[in-house]
Every structure is written in structure tokens, then in C-alpha cells.
């Protein structure tokens, strides 16, 4: 489907197509994920893992702040993207 909102430029831009694996087993620091946060779908990179929570942030750090989310908010892992 089309990319969700999020500040992942320059690698991902709003409107890009992404292939998302919803059956992922393991998440690592550096993985790009689709999350639902405050009712909005976002694409962000995992920057930290601990105690059942994940810290995520967009790659465009000038405009993106870290956010802490639970495992349940992660809808899938981005495997491929295209414009």
C-alpha cells in the first residue's frame, strides 16, 4: 500500500509504496516499521528496544522526535519500498 505519514526522508517520502510484513517475528534496532500512534499510521525507524517498549524516530531527525511505543502498536515491518 501507499506509505503512511511520517518523516522518513530522504529514503522514504509520503506517497511512496511500501511492502509490509505483518507476520514478523523479531524486531531489531534499525528496522523500519509501520505503527499506529494516537490514531495515525506512521512509518518510523526503531532506535531503541527495552522492557517491552520500542523507541522510534523518523530518519529526518531535524523534524522528528523520538516516541516510545508498545509492541502492540507495531503493525508490520517495512520490507521494500518504491516510488
Amino acid at each position: 500500500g501507499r506509505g503512511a505519514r511520517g518523516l522518513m526522508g530522504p529514503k522514504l517520502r509520503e506517497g511512496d509504496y511500501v511492502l509490509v510484513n505483518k507476520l514478523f517475528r523479531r524486531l531489531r534496532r534499525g528496522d523500519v516499521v509501520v505503527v499506529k500512534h494516537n490514531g495515525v499510521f506512521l512509518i518510523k525507524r526503531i532506535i531503541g528496544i527495552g522492557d517491552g517498549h520500542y523507541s522510534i524516530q523518523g530518519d529526518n531527525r531535524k523534524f522528528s522526535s523520538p516516541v516510545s511505543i508498545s509492541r502492540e502498536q507495531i503493525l508490520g515491518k517495512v520490507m521494500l519500498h518504491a516510488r
Side-chain angles (χ1 to χ4, degrees), residues 54-81:
Y54 297 82
S55 294
I56 59 170
Q57 185 173 12
D59 285 352
N60 191 345
R61 295 192 177 195
K62 184 176 180 181
F63 299 103
S64 180
S65 300
V67 176
S68 180
I69 60 166
S70 68
R71 169 69 177 80
E72 292 76 28
Q73 290 175 274
I74 298 174
L75 304 177
K77 184 174 169 180
V78 175
M79 305 304 292
L80 183 69
H81 81 280

Side-chain angles (χ1 to χ4, degrees), residues 2-8 14-15 35 40-44:
R2 283 233 169 189
R5 290 190 323 178
L7 298 169
M8 286 297 297
E14 190 170 335
V35 302
V40 178
F41 295 99
L42 303 170
I43 298 174
K44 301 287 183 179

Side-chain angles (χ1 to χ4, degrees), residues 24-42:
F24 61 92
R25 292 184 185 187
R26 194 164 140 188
L27 293 170
R28 298 179 185 186
R29 188 174 185 206
D31 286 345
V32 177
V33 293
V34 176
V35 302
K36 189 169 185 181
H37 182 66
N38 293 332
V40 178
F41 295 99
L42 303 170

